[in-house]
Amino acid sequence: MFPRLLLLLPVVSGVLAVSHSPVPFLHRRAANDTGLQPQATYNGNYTEATDIRLRIANGGAGQSGLIGAWADAFIKYCVETRSITPFKAGHRLVADIELKVGWYLGDTTASLGFLAAGQVDIAVTYNDAAEQQSLQSKAASQRVYGFRDHFLLVGPKANPAALDADNDDVLQMFSKIVTGGNADAPAPPADRPAVRFLSRFDKSATNIKESSLFITIGQVPWALGYSIWYHQYPRFPLQAIQAASLLSEYTLTDRGTWLSSPSTVTDGLQIFKAGSDNATDLLLNPARVLLSSKADPANEEIWKAFMEWVVSADGGQKVIAEFQKNGEVLYSQAPVEQS
């Protein structure tokens, strides 16, 4: 019988450490006594930049490199095109007020929490209901459509649940995973991987999406009595897909994460269902950009400019159209005139 929670810990001396702790992996909220710390900072290649003047929270698009690409392009835009005092004096930056953009790692739930607390100025998130609550509670003052990512249902190439990529819709696939998982749980087969599903189980948009798909087919495998084929693995996207590959488990991920993962991970998996740009597609993963009501007033010109730039065809949307990994564009541009 599999444990309730299996955690793959970092490689130590070439060995992948495994923990069978029932306690959720909670290191992900990266704050310390002095406040939230950035996962990375960007300066647009203005190497003398010192101060973080725009703070952006996000998970997957930060790991893929998009937040960094946005940050560098935005800084260059402000320096070269737009006369914003904190960025520009004449045709070069003033050394003591040069700008950095900070990326703060957090899933959708964490990012919206950072936004509400005023720990970041901007959150890039992926759940409409949570974003609407943020707007209604006045934690966020503005929301714009940033880009479209797409969820992917992936799993082992052995395909123990017998998913039919050509004929099954995503709900039928989830139903087969439940049926196969329940059948394999009492006595895991010796000739193939048992049917198991890896959940990020971390309040991320991906976790919310896969939970909604299970609920839509009338299943709550995380509830008592707990379904042992449902593997709770609360980690960020790149780590989660790596674990699914190593353990031959099905999981829900996104196109940006898939294309950002090395072939050593993706070669062990198959895409069974992929989201499209259709607004009604259950696997569409819209990313929206929210502005905090507590954004630092000292940097008002900067965050106002970013909210305009990120939706402009020759600004943030151009970055989206050109952002690639391994020769493939990761995301789709935002639809016109949507928020």
Side-chain angles (χ1 to χ4, degrees):
M1 181 179 294
F2 286 91
R4 178 180 175 87
L5 177 62
L6 177 65
L7 296 180
L8 295 183
L9 302 180
V11 173
V12 180
S13 299
V15 178
L16 183 66
V18 180
S19 168
H20 295 280
S21 168
V23 180
F25 200 73
L26 297 178
H27 81 287
R28 295 159 19 81
R29 305 299 187 256
N32 61 25
D33 290 341
T34 61
L36 194 67
Q37 299 300 306
Q39 183 76 10
T41 58
Y42 307 97
N43 59 23
N45 291 323
Y46 293 91
T47 56
E48 298 85 1
T50 56
D51 297 334
I52 295 175
R53 307 296 294 274
L54 183 68
R55 303 165 297 169
I56 303 175
N58 175 262
Q63 288 193 323
S64 74
L66 175 65
I67 299 301
W70 261 356
D72 286 335
F74 175 65
I75 293 169
K76 291 178 181 178
Y77 158 77
C78 288
V79 172
E80 298 172 3
T81 305
R82 184 164 175 163
S83 297
I84 295 180
T85 303
F87 292 84
K88 187 174 181 180
H91 293 287
R92 64 184 185 85
L93 289 173
V94 178
D96 61 351
I97 53 174
E98 285 182 342
L99 168 135
K100 285 184 178 180
V101 174
W103 162 46
Y104 297 79
L105 181 61
D107 56 41
T108 285
T109 299
S111 293
L112 291 175
F114 300 155
L115 193 85
Q119 293 174 293
V120 298
D121 307 300
I122 304 288
V124 182
T125 58
Y126 306 88
N127 185 270
D128 179 65
E131 293 157 6
Q132 292 290 354
Q133 287 297 314
S134 184
L135 289 164
Q136 290 172 17
S137 70
K138 309 300 183 183
S141 61
Q142 183 183 358
R143 181 180 77 154
V144 296
Y145 206 136
F147 59 91
R148 287 173 284 191
D149 199 355
H150 310 85
F151 287 115
L152 308 176
L153 177 59
V154 304
K157 291 183 176 179
N159 192 19
L163 307 186
D164 186 339
D166 295 324
N167 298 304
D168 291 344
D169 63 32
V170 69
L171 295 178
Q172 290 171 319
M173 290 183 177
F174 267 70
S175 182
K176 285 185 174 182
I177 290 169
V178 172
T179 300
N182 288 337
D184 285 351
D191 59 342
R192 61 166 174 79
V195 175
R196 286 176 58 79
F197 183 88
L198 184 146
S199 168
R200 283 179 52 196
F201 205 69
D202 60 354
K203 302 180 183 178
S204 64
T206 302
N207 178 217
I208 294 169
K209 172 57 69 172
E210 47 107 328
S211 298
S212 73
L213 293 171
F214 277 121
I215 290 170
T216 300
I217 62 171
Q219 301 293 325
V220 282
W222 54 88
L224 293 175
Y226 174 76
S227 299
I228 62 174
W229 52 263
Y230 180 78
H231 176 188
Q232 299 174 8
Y233 189 76
R235 298 292 294 273
F236 281 104
L238 290 175
Q239 292 77 15
I241 193 174
Q242 179 186 27
S245 179
L246 287 168
L247 298 172
S248 296
E249 296 179 345
Y250 295 96
T251 194
L252 195 68
T253 187
D254 60 83
R255 178 176 167 82
T257 297
W258 178 267
L259 292 176
S260 299
S261 297
S263 59
T264 52
V265 170
T266 56
D267 285 351
L269 297 169
Q270 177 180 342
I271 298 173
F272 291 99
K273 187 64 69 175
S276 69
D277 282 344
N278 189 321
T280 63
D281 192 327
L282 291 175
L283 295 183
L284 177 63
N285 188 23
R288 293 182 173 88
V289 181
L290 285 80
L291 174 65
S292 174
S293 298
K294 297 179 180 178
D296 187 350
N299 296 315
E300 181 175 358
E301 275 190 296
I302 297 170
W303 42 255
K304 277 187 174 180
F306 182 81
M307 293 298 288
E308 295 173 2
W309 175 88
V310 78
V311 296
S312 66
D314 58 351
Q317 295 305 300
K318 183 174 185 290
V319 175
I320 294 295
E322 297 175 351
F323 187 70
Q324 299 185 11
K325 285 289 179 75
N326 301 318
E328 294 192 59
V329 175
L330 272 69
Y331 307 109
S332 298
Q333 293 174 307
V336 178
E337 296 180 353
Q338 293 198 36
S339 64

